[in-house]
Amino acid sequence: MNVLLWHVHGSWTTSFVHGKHHYLVPVTPDRGPYGLGRARTYPWPDTAVEVTPDQLATTDVDLVILQRPEELDLATQWLGRRPGHDLPAIYVEHNTPKDGQVPNSRHPMADRDDLLIAHVTGFNELFWDTGATRTTVVDHGIVAPTVEYTGELDRLAVVINEPVRRWRVTGTDLLPRFAEIAPLDVFGMGVAGLPDRLGLPGGRVTVHDDVPQARMHTELARRRAYLHLCRWTSLGLSLIEAMAIGMPVVALATTEAVMAVPPGAGALSTRVDVLLDAARRFMAEPAEARRAGAEARLAARDRYGLDRFLADWDRLLEEEVCASR
């Protein structure tokens, strides 16, 4: 089938477009947030094609994937058809609520009978109030990294997008405590100003801005352990990818991380001192880091495999299209 979706989250979309369908990705001249087009730092198959808003008016579309509230009106405008009425629509909720009303957060698509909300984690489904709108959960799936963990560098790896702006949400304020144990390599978008904002001495934090996914995986695999300090975000795919590489994890036990990181795959706690002790242990004992990383790898590839993810989505897409006929 022909599936329309915007390029919003690079890692999730990369997994999604590896399915058996034809994926229509809007592109605009400025490649702005509503017309980003195909990814430039992720490998996408040829079945994901760019379409302009003008082309969409005469393009056959079987189903629309929405990921932001404003896309509902935008899709209506560009298609000349109303998602949820003239063709089926699924709203993918990637995020935890951030409106300050937790646990009473009303979802922007609450109390609708014209679409389905697909949450990417059980935690998100639990914490969003969606009223009478139908919901389901499709757990993440990843394209398995092709690199293997070596852990040869006595350094901690972190992947955060916009760590300065998001600060406490992503646990950026906690980084200096871990930088006392080992140098940090921080990968992501918008990381350039991080060392100055943290005020750390030279060499304790090195940033790697918007590195292509394959190269980032290669660099992650060389670091001793993966640090995940997010207080209130949905489950980051970079965490799953690091585990799939075979990296031991040092993570805050918040949101969906408690489901993703099993015992033995590293350290998972709401007590920062426990995580600091684990980081010290992995720095001092490479063999222990490798053992924990091996458990992390098995867990990630078992629960978050691409085949399971795509099968779940195939079933959901087919159900929604059939129900609309």
PDB file of all heavy atoms in Angstrom, residues 198-233:
ATOM      1  N   LEU A 198      28.423  23.376  30.298  1.00  0.00           N
ATOM      2  CA  LEU A 198      28.720  22.565  31.485  1.00  0.00           C
ATOM      3  C   LEU A 198      29.860  23.140  32.299  1.00  0.00           C
ATOM      4  O   LEU A 198      29.984  22.848  33.493  1.00  0.00           O
ATOM      5  CB  LEU A 198      29.059  21.129  31.063  1.00  0.00           C
ATOM      6  CG  LEU A 198      27.917  20.286  30.496  1.00  0.00           C
ATOM      7  CD1 LEU A 198      28.445  18.958  29.972  1.00  0.00           C
ATOM      8  CD2 LEU A 198      26.827  20.050  31.540  1.00  0.00           C
ATOM      9  N   GLY A 199      30.724  23.931  31.664  1.00  0.00           N
ATOM     10  CA  GLY A 199      31.852  24.518  32.364  1.00  0.00           C
ATOM     11  C   GLY A 199      32.879  23.509  32.824  1.00  0.00           C
ATOM     12  O   GLY A 199      33.526  23.698  33.853  1.00  0.00           O
ATOM     13  N   LEU A 200      33.043  22.445  32.050  1.00  0.00           N
ATOM     14  CA  LEU A 200      33.996  21.403  32.420  1.00  0.00           C
ATOM     15  C   LEU A 200      35.366  21.695  31.844  1.00  0.00           C
ATOM     16  O   LEU A 200      35.488  22.344  30.791  1.00  0.00           O
ATOM     17  CB  LEU A 200      33.506  20.046  31.918  1.00  0.00           C
ATOM     18  CG  LEU A 200      32.260  19.495  32.602  1.00  0.00           C
ATOM     19  CD1 LEU A 200      31.789  18.226  31.917  1.00  0.00           C
ATOM     20  CD2 LEU A 200      32.523  19.231  34.077  1.00  0.00           C
ATOM     21  N   PRO A 201      36.427  21.238  32.510  1.00  0.00           N
ATOM     22  CA  PRO A 201      37.788  21.442  31.968  1.00  0.00           C
ATOM     23  C   PRO A 201      37.951  20.748  30.626  1.00  0.00           C
ATOM     24  O   PRO A 201      37.257  19.766  30.319  1.00  0.00           O
ATOM     25  CB  PRO A 201      38.691  20.819  33.037  1.00  0.00           C
ATOM     26  CG  PRO A 201      37.813  19.896  33.822  1.00  0.00           C
ATOM     27  CD  PRO A 201      36.449  20.510  33.785  1.00  0.00           C
ATOM     28  N   GLY A 202      38.876  21.244  29.828  1.00  0.00           N
ATOM     29  CA  GLY A 202      39.105  20.702  28.502  1.00  0.00           C
ATOM     30  C   GLY A 202      39.391  19.212  28.508  1.00  0.00           C
ATOM     31  O   GLY A 202      40.104  18.713  29.373  1.00  0.00           O
ATOM     32  N   GLY A 203      38.793  18.520  27.552  1.00  0.00           N
ATOM     33  CA  GLY A 203      39.042  17.089  27.403  1.00  0.00           C
ATOM     34  C   GLY A 203      38.076  16.197  28.151  1.00  0.00           C
ATOM     35  O   GLY A 203      38.035  14.992  27.891  1.00  0.00           O
ATOM     36  N   ARG A 204      37.280  16.753  29.063  1.00  0.00           N
ATOM     37  CA  ARG A 204      36.352  15.908  29.817  1.00  0.00           C
ATOM     38  C   ARG A 204      35.061  15.637  29.040  1.00  0.00           C
ATOM     39  O   ARG A 204      34.371  14.654  29.293  1.00  0.00           O
ATOM     40  CB  ARG A 204      35.998  16.530  31.175  1.00  0.00           C
ATOM     41  CG  ARG A 204      37.181  16.763  32.085  1.00  0.00           C
ATOM     42  CD  ARG A 204      38.093  15.552  32.200  1.00  0.00           C
ATOM     43  NE  ARG A 204      37.474  14.395  32.857  1.00  0.00           N
ATOM     44  CZ  ARG A 204      38.071  13.230  33.029  1.00  0.00           C
ATOM     45  NH1 ARG A 204      39.300  13.031  32.549  1.00  0.00           N
ATOM     46  NH2 ARG A 204      37.456  12.243  33.652  1.00  0.00           N
ATOM     47  N   VAL A 205      34.728  16.529  28.109  1.00  0.00           N
ATOM     48  CA  VAL A 205      33.554  16.329  27.258  1.00  0.00           C
ATOM     49  C   VAL A 205      33.939  16.656  25.823  1.00  0.00           C
ATOM     50  O   VAL A 205      34.428  17.745  25.542  1.00  0.00           O
ATOM     51  CB  VAL A 205      32.368  17.222  27.672  1.00  0.00           C
ATOM     52  CG1 VAL A 205      31.203  17.037  26.695  1.00  0.00           C
ATOM     53  CG2 VAL A 205      31.913  16.904  29.076  1.00  0.00           C
ATOM     54  N   THR A 206      33.719  15.698  24.923  1.00  0.00           N
ATOM     55  CA  THR A 206      33.947  15.912  23.496  1.00  0.00           C
ATOM     56  C   THR A 206      32.612  15.718  22.787  1.00  0.00           C
ATOM     57  O   THR A 206      31.920  14.726  23.026  1.00  0.00           O
ATOM     58  CB  THR A 206      34.968  14.914  22.939  1.00  0.00           C
ATOM     59  OG1 THR A 206      36.200  15.060  23.657  1.00  0.00           O
ATOM     60  CG2 THR A 206      35.226  15.168  21.461  1.00  0.00           C
ATOM     61  N   VAL A 207      32.247  16.683  21.931  1.00  0.00           N
ATOM     62  CA  VAL A 207      30.955  16.586  21.254  1.00  0.00           C
ATOM     63  C   VAL A 207      31.141  16.183  19.793  1.00  0.00           C
ATOM     64  O   VAL A 207      32.151  16.510  19.162  1.00  0.00           O
ATOM     65  CB  VAL A 207      30.173  17.907  21.350  1.00  0.00           C
ATOM     66  CG1 VAL A 207      29.811  18.204  22.797  1.00  0.00           C
ATOM     67  CG2 VAL A 207      30.946  19.061  20.741  1.00  0.00           C
ATOM     68  N   HIS A 208      30.147  15.455  19.282  1.00  0.00           N
ATOM     69  CA  HIS A 208      30.149  14.964  17.903  1.00  0.00           C
ATOM     70  C   HIS A 208      28.790  15.318  17.321  1.00  0.00           C
ATOM     71  O   HIS A 208      27.796  14.633  17.585  1.00  0.00           O
ATOM     72  CB  HIS A 208      30.396  13.459  17.870  1.00  0.00           C
ATOM     73  CG  HIS A 208      31.604  13.023  18.651  1.00  0.00           C
ATOM     74  ND1 HIS A 208      32.829  12.819  18.076  1.00  0.00           N
ATOM     75  CD2 HIS A 208      31.760  12.762  19.990  1.00  0.00           C
ATOM     76  CE1 HIS A 208      33.703  12.442  19.011  1.00  0.00           C
ATOM     77  NE2 HIS A 208      33.072  12.400  20.178  1.00  0.00           N
ATOM     78  N   ASP A 209      28.709  16.397  16.549  1.00  0.00           N
ATOM     79  CA  ASP A 209      27.433  16.952  16.126  1.00  0.00           C
ATOM     80  C   ASP A 209      26.890  16.283  14.858  1.00  0.00           C
ATOM     81  O   ASP A 209      27.566  16.260  13.819  1.00  0.00           O
ATOM     82  CB  ASP A 209      27.581  18.464  15.889  1.00  0.00           C
ATOM     83  CG  ASP A 209      26.234  19.148  15.769  1.00  0.00           C
ATOM     84  OD1 ASP A 209      25.517  19.205  16.780  1.00  0.00           O
ATOM     85  OD2 ASP A 209      25.897  19.602  14.661  1.00  0.00           O
ATOM     86  N   ASP A 210      25.686  15.730  14.977  1.00  0.00           N
ATOM     87  CA  ASP A 210      24.923  15.193  13.845  1.00  0.00           C
ATOM     88  C   ASP A 210      25.753  14.259  12.957  1.00  0.00           C
ATOM     89  O   ASP A 210      25.831  14.420  11.736  1.00  0.00           O
ATOM     90  CB  ASP A 210      24.361  16.338  13.006  1.00  0.00           C
ATOM     91  CG  ASP A 210      23.132  15.906  12.196  1.00  0.00           C
ATOM     92  OD1 ASP A 210      22.583  14.826  12.473  1.00  0.00           O
ATOM     93  OD2 ASP A 210      22.749  16.658  11.277  1.00  0.00           O
ATOM     94  N   VAL A 211      26.345  13.269  13.576  1.00  0.00           N
ATOM     95  CA  VAL A 211      27.183  12.293  12.865  1.00  0.00           C
ATOM     96  C   VAL A 211      26.288  11.282  12.155  1.00  0.00           C
ATOM     97  O   VAL A 211      25.283  10.823  12.720  1.00  0.00           O
ATOM     98  CB  VAL A 211      28.112  11.573  13.868  1.00  0.00           C
ATOM     99  CG1 VAL A 211      28.928  10.490  13.178  1.00  0.00           C
ATOM    100  CG2 VAL A 211      29.025  12.583  14.557  1.00  0.00           C
ATOM    101  N   PRO A 212      26.589  10.912  10.913  1.00  0.00           N
ATOM    102  CA  PRO A 212      25.804   9.872  10.235  1.00  0.00           C
ATOM    103  C   PRO A 212      25.693   8.619  11.102  1.00  0.00           C
ATOM    104  O   PRO A 212      26.634   8.247  11.810  1.00  0.00           O
ATOM    105  CB  PRO A 212      26.595   9.608   8.953  1.00  0.00           C
ATOM    106  CG  PRO A 212      27.277  10.907   8.674  1.00  0.00           C
ATOM    107  CD  PRO A 212      27.634  11.468  10.032  1.00  0.00           C
ATOM    108  N   GLN A 213      24.545   7.966  11.019  1.00  0.00           N
ATOM    109  CA  GLN A 213      24.245   6.865  11.939  1.00  0.00           C
ATOM    110  C   GLN A 213      25.307   5.771  11.931  1.00  0.00           C
ATOM    111  O   GLN A 213      25.743   5.322  13.002  1.00  0.00           O
ATOM    112  CB  GLN A 213      22.880   6.272  11.604  1.00  0.00           C
ATOM    113  CG  GLN A 213      22.419   5.235  12.624  1.00  0.00           C
ATOM    114  CD  GLN A 213      21.151   4.540  12.190  1.00  0.00           C
ATOM    115  OE1 GLN A 213      21.004   4.145  11.027  1.00  0.00           O
ATOM    116  NE2 GLN A 213      20.217   4.381  13.104  1.00  0.00           N
ATOM    117  N   ALA A 214      25.730   5.330  10.764  1.00  0.00           N
ATOM    118  CA  ALA A 214      26.689   4.223  10.696  1.00  0.00           C
ATOM    119  C   ALA A 214      28.006   4.605  11.360  1.00  0.00           C
ATOM    120  O   ALA A 214      28.610   3.800  12.080  1.00  0.00           O
ATOM    121  CB  ALA A 214      26.930   3.824   9.241  1.00  0.00           C
ATOM    122  N   ARG A 215      28.458   5.831  11.124  1.00  0.00           N
ATOM    123  CA  ARG A 215      29.715   6.250  11.737  1.00  0.00           C
ATOM    124  C   ARG A 215      29.565   6.409  13.244  1.00  0.00           C
ATOM    125  O   ARG A 215      30.480   6.082  14.014  1.00  0.00           O
ATOM    126  CB  ARG A 215      30.188   7.578  11.111  1.00  0.00           C
ATOM    127  CG  ARG A 215      31.660   7.874  11.417  1.00  0.00           C
ATOM    128  CD  ARG A 215      32.171   9.024  10.588  1.00  0.00           C
ATOM    129  NE  ARG A 215      31.867  10.306  11.221  1.00  0.00           N
ATOM    130  CZ  ARG A 215      31.597  11.428  10.565  1.00  0.00           C
ATOM    131  NH1 ARG A 215      31.557  11.420   9.240  1.00  0.00           N
ATOM    132  NH2 ARG A 215      31.349  12.545  11.205  1.00  0.00           N
ATOM    133  N   MET A 216      28.406   6.895  13.686  1.00  0.00           N
ATOM    134  CA  MET A 216      28.163   7.008  15.116  1.00  0.00           C
ATOM    135  C   MET A 216      28.207   5.638  15.784  1.00  0.00           C
ATOM    136  O   MET A 216      28.799   5.468  16.850  1.00  0.00           O
ATOM    137  CB  MET A 216      26.821   7.682  15.384  1.00  0.00           C
ATOM    138  CG  MET A 216      26.546   7.899  16.866  1.00  0.00           C
ATOM    139  SD  MET A 216      24.922   8.623  17.197  1.00  0.00           S
ATOM    140  CE  MET A 216      23.862   7.193  16.934  1.00  0.00           C
ATOM    141  N   HIS A 217      27.586   4.643  15.159  1.00  0.00           N
ATOM    142  CA  HIS A 217      27.609   3.288  15.723  1.00  0.00           C
ATOM    143  C   HIS A 217      29.047   2.772  15.852  1.00  0.00           C
ATOM    144  O   HIS A 217      29.402   2.138  16.862  1.00  0.00           O
ATOM    145  CB  HIS A 217      26.799   2.336  14.849  1.00  0.00           C
ATOM    146  CG  HIS A 217      25.323   2.545  14.953  1.00  0.00           C
ATOM    147  ND1 HIS A 217      24.433   2.005  14.051  1.00  0.00           N
ATOM    148  CD2 HIS A 217      24.576   3.245  15.847  1.00  0.00           C
ATOM    149  CE1 HIS A 217      23.209   2.355  14.395  1.00  0.00           C
ATOM    150  NE2 HIS A 217      23.268   3.104  15.471  1.00  0.00           N
ATOM    151  N   THR A 218      29.857   3.042  14.857  1.00  0.00           N
ATOM    152  CA  THR A 218      31.256   2.606  14.902  1.00  0.00           C
ATOM    153  C   THR A 218      31.981   3.234  16.083  1.00  0.00           C
ATOM    154  O   THR A 218      32.749   2.563  16.789  1.00  0.00           O
ATOM    155  CB  THR A 218      31.977   2.989  13.589  1.00  0.00           C
ATOM    156  OG1 THR A 218      31.333   2.300  12.508  1.00  0.00           O
ATOM    157  CG2 THR A 218      33.439   2.593  13.629  1.00  0.00           C
ATOM    158  N   GLU A 219      31.713   4.519  16.313  1.00  0.00           N
ATOM    159  CA  GLU A 219      32.371   5.217  17.427  1.00  0.00           C
ATOM    160  C   GLU A 219      31.813   4.777  18.772  1.00  0.00           C
ATOM    161  O   GLU A 219      32.564   4.617  19.743  1.00  0.00           O
ATOM    162  CB  GLU A 219      32.234   6.729  17.241  1.00  0.00           C
ATOM    163  CG  GLU A 219      33.006   7.284  16.058  1.00  0.00           C
ATOM    164  CD  GLU A 219      34.491   6.949  16.138  1.00  0.00           C
ATOM    165  OE1 GLU A 219      35.070   7.022  17.235  1.00  0.00           O
ATOM    166  OE2 GLU A 219      35.073   6.579  15.095  1.00  0.00           O
ATOM    167  N   LEU A 220      30.505   4.569  18.846  1.00  0.00           N
ATOM    168  CA  LEU A 220      29.921   4.094  20.102  1.00  0.00           C
ATOM    169  C   LEU A 220      30.550   2.776  20.526  1.00  0.00           C
ATOM    170  O   LEU A 220      30.857   2.562  21.707  1.00  0.00           O
ATOM    171  CB  LEU A 220      28.411   3.911  19.951  1.00  0.00           C
ATOM    172  CG  LEU A 220      27.527   5.158  19.827  1.00  0.00           C
ATOM    173  CD1 LEU A 220      26.074   4.737  19.634  1.00  0.00           C
ATOM    174  CD2 LEU A 220      27.669   6.054  21.042  1.00  0.00           C
ATOM    175  N   ALA A 221      30.735   1.877  19.572  1.00  0.00           N
ATOM    176  CA  ALA A 221      31.233   0.534  19.879  1.00  0.00           C
ATOM    177  C   ALA A 221      32.608   0.548  20.520  1.00  0.00           C
ATOM    178  O   ALA A 221      32.976  -0.408  21.225  1.00  0.00           O
ATOM    179  CB  ALA A 221      31.273  -0.305  18.596  1.00  0.00           C
ATOM    180  N   ARG A 222      33.367   1.614  20.336  1.00  0.00           N
ATOM    181  CA  ARG A 222      34.719   1.693  20.888  1.00  0.00           C
ATOM    182  C   ARG A 222      34.723   2.207  22.332  1.00  0.00           C
ATOM    183  O   ARG A 222      35.728   2.077  23.028  1.00  0.00           O
ATOM    184  CB  ARG A 222      35.589   2.598  20.019  1.00  0.00           C
ATOM    185  CG  ARG A 222      35.711   2.126  18.569  1.00  0.00           C
ATOM    186  CD  ARG A 222      36.555   3.099  17.758  1.00  0.00           C
ATOM    187  NE  ARG A 222      37.922   3.163  18.253  1.00  0.00           N
ATOM    188  CZ  ARG A 222      38.702   4.249  18.195  1.00  0.00           C
ATOM    189  NH1 ARG A 222      38.226   5.382  17.694  1.00  0.00           N
ATOM    190  NH2 ARG A 222      39.936   4.201  18.654  1.00  0.00           N
ATOM    191  N   ARG A 223      33.618   2.807  22.771  1.00  0.00           N
ATOM    192  CA  ARG A 223      33.547   3.343  24.133  1.00  0.00           C
ATOM    193  C   ARG A 223      33.170   2.236  25.115  1.00  0.00           C
ATOM    194  O   ARG A 223      32.477   1.301  24.775  1.00  0.00           O
ATOM    195  CB  ARG A 223      32.533   4.487  24.207  1.00  0.00           C
ATOM    196  CG  ARG A 223      33.112   5.862  23.823  1.00  0.00           C
ATOM    197  CD  ARG A 223      33.500   5.956  22.393  1.00  0.00           C
ATOM    198  NE  ARG A 223      34.176   7.228  22.048  1.00  0.00           N
ATOM    199  CZ  ARG A 223      34.725   7.463  20.881  1.00  0.00           C
ATOM    200  NH1 ARG A 223      34.700   6.541  19.922  1.00  0.00           N
ATOM    201  NH2 ARG A 223      35.326   8.616  20.647  1.00  0.00           N
ATOM    202  N   ARG A 224      33.607   2.392  26.350  1.00  0.00           N
ATOM    203  CA  ARG A 224      33.451   1.320  27.339  1.00  0.00           C
ATOM    204  C   ARG A 224      32.001   1.059  27.721  1.00  0.00           C
ATOM    205  O   ARG A 224      31.593  -0.095  27.906  1.00  0.00           O
ATOM    206  CB  ARG A 224      34.265   1.670  28.587  1.00  0.00           C
ATOM    207  CG  ARG A 224      34.266   0.585  29.685  1.00  0.00           C
ATOM    208  CD  ARG A 224      34.943  -0.705  29.237  1.00  0.00           C
ATOM    209  NE  ARG A 224      36.257  -0.451  28.676  1.00  0.00           N
ATOM    210  CZ  ARG A 224      37.371  -0.202  29.396  1.00  0.00           C
ATOM    211  NH1 ARG A 224      37.309  -0.195  30.726  1.00  0.00           N
ATOM    212  NH2 ARG A 224      38.526   0.019  28.800  1.00  0.00           N
ATOM    213  N   ALA A 225      31.207   2.120  27.874  1.00  0.00           N
ATOM    214  CA  ALA A 225      29.821   1.934  28.315  1.00  0.00           C
ATOM    215  C   ALA A 225      28.959   3.064  27.779  1.00  0.00           C
ATOM    216  O   ALA A 225      29.454   4.119  27.377  1.00  0.00           O
ATOM    217  CB  ALA A 225      29.736   1.882  29.839  1.00  0.00           C
ATOM    218  N   TYR A 226      27.644   2.812  27.772  1.00  0.00           N
ATOM    219  CA  TYR A 226      26.681   3.788  27.279  1.00  0.00           C
ATOM    220  C   TYR A 226      25.942   4.409  28.453  1.00  0.00           C
ATOM    221  O   TYR A 226      25.425   3.703  29.326  1.00  0.00           O
ATOM    222  CB  TYR A 226      25.679   3.116  26.344  1.00  0.00           C
ATOM    223  CG  TYR A 226      24.724   4.090  25.699  1.00  0.00           C
ATOM    224  CD1 TYR A 226      25.095   4.812  24.570  1.00  0.00           C
ATOM    225  CD2 TYR A 226      23.459   4.303  26.240  1.00  0.00           C
ATOM    226  CE1 TYR A 226      24.228   5.716  23.977  1.00  0.00           C
ATOM    227  CE2 TYR A 226      22.577   5.202  25.659  1.00  0.00           C
ATOM    228  CZ  TYR A 226      22.971   5.904  24.537  1.00  0.00           C
ATOM    229  OH  TYR A 226      22.114   6.810  23.955  1.00  0.00           O
ATOM    230  N   LEU A 227      25.861   5.734  28.456  1.00  0.00           N
ATOM    231  CA  LEU A 227      25.258   6.481  29.556  1.00  0.00           C
ATOM    232  C   LEU A 227      23.916   7.041  29.112  1.00  0.00           C
ATOM    233  O   LEU A 227      23.828   7.762  28.106  1.00  0.00           O
ATOM    234  CB  LEU A 227      26.214   7.610  29.971  1.00  0.00           C
ATOM    235  CG  LEU A 227      25.912   8.402  31.238  1.00  0.00           C
ATOM    236  CD1 LEU A 227      25.840   7.483  32.454  1.00  0.00           C
ATOM    237  CD2 LEU A 227      26.987   9.476  31.430  1.00  0.00           C
ATOM    238  N   HIS A 228      22.860   6.719  29.856  1.00  0.00           N
ATOM    239  CA  HIS A 228      21.502   7.144  29.511  1.00  0.00           C
ATOM    240  C   HIS A 228      20.889   7.803  30.747  1.00  0.00           C
ATOM    241  O   HIS A 228      20.486   7.123  31.690  1.00  0.00           O
ATOM    242  CB  HIS A 228      20.678   5.928  29.079  1.00  0.00           C
ATOM    243  CG  HIS A 228      19.273   6.254  28.689  1.00  0.00           C
ATOM    244  ND1 HIS A 228      18.942   6.804  27.474  1.00  0.00           N
ATOM    245  CD2 HIS A 228      18.095   6.095  29.362  1.00  0.00           C
ATOM    246  CE1 HIS A 228      17.628   6.974  27.403  1.00  0.00           C
ATOM    247  NE2 HIS A 228      17.095   6.553  28.536  1.00  0.00           N
ATOM    248  N   LEU A 229      20.835   9.142  30.740  1.00  0.00           N
ATOM    249  CA  LEU A 229      20.424   9.884  31.930  1.00  0.00           C
ATOM    250  C   LEU A 229      19.119  10.644  31.731  1.00  0.00           C
ATOM    251  O   LEU A 229      18.828  11.595  32.464  1.00  0.00           O
ATOM    252  CB  LEU A 229      21.532  10.868  32.334  1.00  0.00           C
ATOM    253  CG  LEU A 229      22.888  10.239  32.678  1.00  0.00           C
ATOM    254  CD1 LEU A 229      23.922  11.326  32.974  1.00  0.00           C
ATOM    255  CD2 LEU A 229      22.755   9.287  33.870  1.00  0.00           C
ATOM    256  N   CYS A 230      18.316  10.232  30.776  1.00  0.00           N
ATOM    257  CA  CYS A 230      17.060  10.932  30.490  1.00  0.00           C
ATOM    258  C   CYS A 230      16.078  10.759  31.643  1.00  0.00           C
ATOM    259  O   CYS A 230      15.792   9.636  32.065  1.00  0.00           O
ATOM    260  CB  CYS A 230      16.440  10.405  29.204  1.00  0.00           C
ATOM    261  SG  CYS A 230      17.416  10.788  27.736  1.00  0.00           S
ATOM    262  N   ARG A 231      15.566  11.889  32.136  1.00  0.00           N
ATOM    263  CA  ARG A 231      14.585  11.832  33.213  1.00  0.00           C
ATOM    264  C   ARG A 231      13.174  11.586  32.683  1.00  0.00           C
ATOM    265  O   ARG A 231      12.403  10.835  33.260  1.00  0.00           O
ATOM    266  CB  ARG A 231      14.567  13.165  33.981  1.00  0.00           C
ATOM    267  CG  ARG A 231      15.714  13.376  34.945  1.00  0.00           C
ATOM    268  CD  ARG A 231      15.443  14.647  35.757  1.00  0.00           C
ATOM    269  NE  ARG A 231      16.451  14.868  36.784  1.00  0.00           N
ATOM    270  CZ  ARG A 231      17.555  15.570  36.608  1.00  0.00           C
ATOM    271  NH1 ARG A 231      17.802  16.114  35.417  1.00  0.00           N
ATOM    272  NH2 ARG A 231      18.418  15.735  37.589  1.00  0.00           N
ATOM    273  N   TRP A 232      12.835  12.268  31.580  1.00  0.00           N
ATOM    274  CA  TRP A 232      11.443  12.250  31.155  1.00  0.00           C
ATOM    275  C   TRP A 232      11.354  12.319  29.634  1.00  0.00           C
ATOM    276  O   TRP A 232      10.933  13.304  29.053  1.00  0.00           O
ATOM    277  CB  TRP A 232      10.680  13.413  31.798  1.00  0.00           C
ATOM    278  CG  TRP A 232       9.201  13.356  31.573  1.00  0.00           C
ATOM    279  CD1 TRP A 232       8.459  14.155  30.760  1.00  0.00           C
ATOM    280  CD2 TRP A 232       8.277  12.442  32.173  1.00  0.00           C
ATOM    281  NE1 TRP A 232       7.138  13.788  30.800  1.00  0.00           N
ATOM    282  CE2 TRP A 232       6.995  12.746  31.674  1.00  0.00           C
ATOM    283  CE3 TRP A 232       8.420  11.382  33.078  1.00  0.00           C
ATOM    284  CZ2 TRP A 232       5.856  12.026  32.056  1.00  0.00           C
ATOM    285  CZ3 TRP A 232       7.295  10.672  33.457  1.00  0.00           C
ATOM    286  CH2 TRP A 232       6.035  11.003  32.951  1.00  0.00           C
ATOM    287  N   THR A 233      11.779  11.287  28.985  1.00  0.00           N
ATOM    288  CA  THR A 233      11.621  11.196  27.534  1.00  0.00           C
ATOM    289  C   THR A 233      11.101   9.800  27.214  1.00  0.00           C
ATOM    290  O   THR A 233      11.193   8.883  28.033  1.00  0.00           O
ATOM    291  CB  THR A 233      12.948  11.405  26.781  1.00  0.00           C
ATOM    292  OG1 THR A 233      13.839  10.338  27.080  1.00  0.00           O
ATOM    293  CG2 THR A 233      13.585  12.728  27.147  1.00  0.00           C
TER     294      THR A 233
END
